[in-house]
Amino acid sequence: MKHNPFNALTAAALAAAMTLSSFPASEAAIADAADTEDVVFATDFEDGDASKFSKRGDNDTSIIEVIEDDKAPSGSKVMSISGRDQSWNGPSLSVEGLLEPNVKYVLSVKVKAAWYNTVCVSLQHTPGGSDEPQYTNLVKGVSQGDYVTLETSFSYGDAEKDVSIYIETNGEANDLCVDDFKITLAPNKLDKTLTGLKDVYGDMFKFGTATTVGEIAPASTKELVKHHFNSLTAGNELKPDSVLDKAACLALAAEGNDTDPQVTLANAKPILDFARDNNISVRGHVLVWHQQTPLWFFKEDYDENGEWVSKEKMLKRMENYIKNVFAAVKEEYPDVDFYAWDVVNEALTDGGTPREAGFPAESNRWEASPWVKIFGDNSFIKPAFEYAKQYAPEGTKLYYNDFNEYMDKKDAIVKLAEEINSDGHYIDGIGMQSHLNVTNNGENTPFPTAGMYKAALEKFSKTGLDIQITELDATVNDQKYELQAQYYSDIFDAIVAYKDYVSAVVVWGTTDDQSWRADRDPLLFNKDYEAKPAYFSIVDGITPSTATTTTATTTSKTTTSTTTATETTTASSATSSATTSATTSGKQEEPLYGDANLDKKVSVADAVAILQSLANKDKFELQPQGRINADCFDVGDGITANDALAIQKLDAGEIKGLPHYSATPNK
Ligand code: GLA
């Protein structure tokens, strides 16, 4: 259906129409865009006007002007940003009077960096109840002195203040040019005649999803969640860095009490209010984790530059943190069914040992744990569960949650659970994160195989503990959605075989574009809310328990092919738009650049592993993650001898870190 933005009925489109008249972009650009989409705001700078874009605060040294560029992607003019001093300097567009909260938009823009740089579109927003602005990177691409198209969807909630969209770089503050900036309303193709997943699987287990506050802001996403899911996990907002109230902690510490960490549920409010109002159960995630927990929480005087606290003090802080979180949810959300909490997340390495001691935000230490720094080992886990058992509201089950749980680590997880429960019942269940891959670096070989996944289910089921699938997603390259559907179907066959042991299955995200692995479309719904073949493959053959809608499984296969066709078209136009990696939900999947042999360190042994694999790929094959890590010189150009050379240079102290990039003409 074609929409004319001036006739569209939604509030956002009305705002759009006002904007278009108050900020005229070239008529050709608007007419072009308006022909096929709900354009809210568009400019190609041909009218010489960039006044809607401003610098980011008084300390931003950028000079923003419209200039002629013979490489302009359209027309002859572009917005130029020169004189930048910091990578976060750049043009910023306030949404005030332009966009509406609770609406999903698509932004596309062409950006050129003067020389090799990662260019980003980011969102600045201040959550309700807070004065601290947050900065969310929406999409990135690499410019090598050429224009790259960045495309992303985004939204914000009605409680958020001072919302703006800005363009920055990840590396140096070199000059930028911007053209063809366009914001449109995102399409909504949610089909409510399809049976909700929660109804399909209602007899077996809860079917949940995870969302961040930004992701769930659009009314359209809320509709999807309500239709398909009966469990909700906050993607970030119940993690310690969201829940700890630093100002309140410091105030109490000033009175002499620095062992009673103060907490706030303000950041999680939009998610928890939504769950309460729609009677959706909540999985709490997470109390004790080495990541997304601020450094100051582990330091004397809550000062990140201070000394690490003693084990005894940390135990007190841990106890009171857990106690205060449970008290807050009980008091503020007495009617929400917090049926599960992840008490400890990701404490084991793949080898089953404790993590190394340290702080993840330090360079290349994302594996390190401040808990291990203080306790020396994993002895913090048992007290965490003891405290959680002591303070959890009745009916809340407690989980140990981890990734790569389908590999050898499963033995260590079982051993850990048994040790902790050796003198009581503290852990109720095991959380299998289930971040899976249908394809690996272009190969059509899934990892893990459904057989490996089933073996993990078998192992965990023998413990007598409950199992929850807590963060399911399955990445796929090149829009191979039929292959993905087959894999999802195999994984669900395994889960259904163990349904008596599994009480919840939670997918990590709603639509592909909002996933932390958005570049590889890992979810059940696409960016337009259409059910993907994977949806149909997992409902096929299951008789819905409490069917509220009418999709017969026999007809679902027919729909599959229609969906596939649509998706292929959408995807091919998206592919041409840029190298993108959206990271809207906090933690990114960070490679340890250089670590080709996956021994968690970068050494000459990695250079050898790379050279061997180049010489004889079959004999010296690198693992999928090893291949990602190995591409540490000019990331994205594949594995070459230069990657090995970069590691050797690092070892010799000639370069400071990885990844390393080749010299660029203007430097
Ligand atoms: C882990 C965490 C989640 C989330 C994902 C990535 O699996 O447990 O909370 O951060 O990584 O988004």
Side-chain angles (χ1 to χ4, degrees):
M1 189 165 65
K2 291 192 175 190
H3 287 276
N4 178 330
F6 295 97
N7 295 337
L9 292 173
T10 65
L14 285 172
M18 282 161 52
T19 311
L20 288 170
S21 49
S22 62
F23 183 53
S26 98
E27 280 176 19
I30 293 171
D32 234 21
D35 218 16
T36 49
E37 299 153 320
D38 281 325
V39 178
V40 177
F41 173 76
T43 175
D44 57 8
F45 304 103
E46 293 308 309
D47 59 4
D49 186 3
S51 59
K52 273 264 185 240
F53 294 86
S54 55
K55 301 187 295 177
R56 302 197 56 233
D58 293 343
N59 296 333
D60 183 339
T61 55
S62 306
I63 298 161
I64 300 175
E65 60 197 333
V66 174
I67 61 163
E68 297 274 337
D69 180 2
D70 54 13
K71 300 245 170 51
S74 68
S76 61
K77 292 184 185 146
V78 300
M79 175 168 66
S80 142
I81 303 96
S82 55
R84 297 165 71 234
D85 187 37
Q86 302 288 333
S87 61
W88 51 264
N89 285 175
S92 170
L93 178 74
S94 166
V95 304
E96 191 77 44
L98 192 66
L99 307 182
E100 297 282 323
N102 306 335
V103 174
K104 186 169 173 180
Y105 295 102
V106 176
L107 181 152
S108 111
V109 61
K110 296 184 179 123
V111 184
K112 173 177 89 171
W115 64 82
Y116 192 103
N117 212 335
T118 300
V119 290
C120 316
V121 175
S122 303
L123 187 78
Q124 176 171 334
H125 51 124
T126 305
S130 161
D131 294 327
E132 291 281 318
Q134 291 188 1
Y135 309 95
T136 307
N137 173 233
L138 299 172
V139 61
K140 300 179 197 177
V142 174
S143 165
Q144 316 210 44
D146 55 344
Y147 281 92
V148 291
T149 303
L150 300 178
E151 190 169 304
T152 179
S153 41
F154 70 98
S155 54
Y156 57 93
D158 46 18
E160 295 185 78
K161 300 166 290 194
D162 302 328
V163 181
S164 60
I165 296 155
Y166 62 99
I167 298 171
E168 58 178 334
T169 47
N170 252 11
E172 301 195 23
N174 53 4
D175 292 352
L176 300 174
C177 286
V178 173
D179 203 5
D180 298 341
F181 189 102
K182 187 174 72 182
I183 298 175
T184 54
L185 290 177
N188 179 0
K189 298 182 185 161
L190 178 65
D191 180 356
K192 286 208 199 162
T193 67
L194 298 180
T195 310
L197 289 162
K198 63 182 179 359
D199 303 316
V200 175
Y201 284 99
D203 276 349
M204 301 185 206
F205 35 72
K206 282 193 166 45
F207 209 115
T209 188
T211 68
T212 59
V213 164
E215 180 174 1
I216 207 178
S220 42
T221 306
K222 289 195 174 78
E223 284 306 302
L224 175 90
V225 173
K226 282 195 282 190
H227 188 72
H228 284 289
F229 302 106
N230 54 8
S231 166
L232 198 55
T233 306
N236 284 321
E237 295 78 359
L238 288 177
K239 292 173 178 173
D241 62 356
S242 290
V243 171
L244 278 165
D245 183 340
K246 188 174 185 188
C249 286
L250 286 172
L252 198 61
E255 291 169 18
N257 180 353
D258 71 350
T259 55
D260 190 12
Q262 299 299 290
V263 302
T264 168
L265 300 179
N267 288 324
K269 189 175 186 323
I271 293 176
L272 298 181
D273 285 0
F274 171 75
R276 180 198 56 212
D277 298 345
N278 294 283
N279 206 15
I280 299 176
S281 302
V282 172
R283 271 203 103 250
H285 175 80
V286 51
L287 295 169
V288 173
W289 190 22
H290 66 289
Q291 291 195 333
Q292 292 186 256
T293 307
L295 183 55
W296 59 260
F297 183 53
F298 302 95
K299 295 295 195 77
E300 285 296 347
D301 303 323
Y302 296 130
D303 173 1
E304 64 176 23
N305 299 313
E307 296 290 318
W308 294 90
V309 298
S310 66
K311 204 188 284 192
E312 292 64 38
K313 187 178 271 189
M314 203 62 224
L315 273 175
K316 267 275 143 220
R317 284 188 183 174
M318 179 205 265
E319 173 174 3
N320 285 325
Y321 176 74
I322 291 173
K323 181 177 167 191
N324 292 343
V325 172
F326 283 138
V329 295
K330 204 168 160 191
E331 190 187 320
E332 294 177 44
Y333 292 95
D335 299 329
V336 171
D337 171 30
F338 275 91
Y339 70 106
W341 265 94
D342 290 329
V343 177
V344 177
N345 198 26
E346 303 181 345
L348 296 167
T349 64
D350 284 350
T353 55
R355 293 176 169 278
E356 65 170 288
F359 190 67
E362 289 163 20
S363 91
N364 265 350
R365 308 281 311 275
W366 65 283
E367 286 279 351
S369 167
W371 291 101
V372 177
K373 174 84 186 165
I374 290 175
F375 286 77
D377 52 25
N378 271 348
S379 56
F380 64 92
I381 300 178
K382 173 121 189 189
F385 276 96
E386 285 170 345
Y387 297 140
K389 200 73 220 175
Q390 187 180 345
Y391 298 112
E394 213 174 308
T396 295
K397 296 255 189 303
L398 306 175
Y399 292 77
Y400 174 76
N401 191 46
D402 215 328
F403 67 100
N404 286 355
E405 73 287 352
Y406 39 75
M407 293 168 68
D408 289 348
K409 196 196 278 194
K410 62 182 174 303
D411 299 338
I413 295 174
V414 168
K415 195 160 159 258
L416 175 77
E418 282 170 355
E419 272 167 22
I420 287 178
N421 281 357
S422 59
D423 64 346
H425 184 82
Y426 305 101
I427 296 189
D428 294 306
I430 293 169
M432 298 175 67
Q433 287 192 6
S434 308
H435 294 300
L436 316 177
N437 308 285
V438 182
T439 53
N440 278 307
N441 282 355
E443 311 279 329
N444 288 345
T445 45
F447 191 85
T449 61
M452 285 171 74
Y453 194 78
K454 200 166 176 180
L457 282 161
E458 166 68 14
K459 176 121 206 158
F460 296 141
S461 72
K462 288 274 176 337
T463 61
L465 296 174
D466 183 45
I467 302 172
Q468 294 194 343
I469 314 302
T470 54
E471 306 183 15
L472 177 63
D473 53 15
T475 59
V476 71
N477 291 96
D478 306 324
Q479 298 95 42
K480 292 180 182 163
Y481 296 136
E482 287 298 341
L483 205 63
Q484 185 180 46
Q486 184 56 53
Y487 184 68
Y488 261 106
S489 165
D490 294 346
I491 294 294
F492 269 82
D493 283 349
I495 297 172
V496 167
Y498 288 87
K499 65 179 177 2
D500 294 345
Y501 304 90
V502 175
S503 61
V505 174
V506 175
V507 283
W508 196 255
T510 51
T511 51
D512 277 341
D513 55 305
Q514 296 295 307
S515 163
W516 69 303
R517 306 163 102 191
D519 56 335
R520 285 161 294 156
D521 306 331
L523 297 173
L524 302 171
F525 299 92
N526 72 14
K527 67 177 178 24
D528 300 338
Y529 303 99
E530 276 177 308
K532 291 167 61 185
Y535 163 87
F536 295 103
S537 79
I538 66 169
V539 304
D540 193 16
I542 309 278
T543 312
S545 55
T546 52
T548 48
T549 46
T550 50
T551 310
T553 47
T554 39
T555 56
S556 59
K557 281 295 181 198
T558 325
T559 328
T560 304
S561 51
T562 323
T563 315
T564 315
T566 320
E567 286 198 345
T568 313
T569 328
T570 318
S572 54
S573 59
T575 320
S576 62
S577 65
T579 346
T580 60
S581 77
T583 54
T584 48
S585 53
K587 194 185 99 181
Q588 300 184 24
E589 201 177 19
E590 294 278 4
L592 175 53
Y593 283 110
D595 182 20
N597 63 8
L598 299 180
D599 65 353
K600 306 279 181 277
K601 52 183 194 278
V602 180
S603 69
V604 175
D606 296 299
V608 173
I610 290 174
L611 293 172
Q612 284 178 325
S613 82
L614 288 171
N616 188 340
K617 180 170 172 286
D618 295 334
K619 190 158 169 216
F620 301 105
E621 198 186 5
L622 297 175
Q623 297 296 308
Q625 184 63 46
R627 290 205 291 270
I628 294 169
N629 295 350
D631 183 12
C632 59
F633 178 83
D634 280 357
V635 177
D637 72 343
I639 302 173
T640 68
N642 281 336
D643 296 312
L645 189 63
I647 294 169
Q648 287 167 305
K649 283 188 173 170
L650 181 76
D651 189 60
E654 277 179 46
I655 57 173
K656 287 214 187 67
L658 295 173
H660 188 69
Y661 294 96
S662 47
T664 47
N666 290 334
K667 268 185 174 175

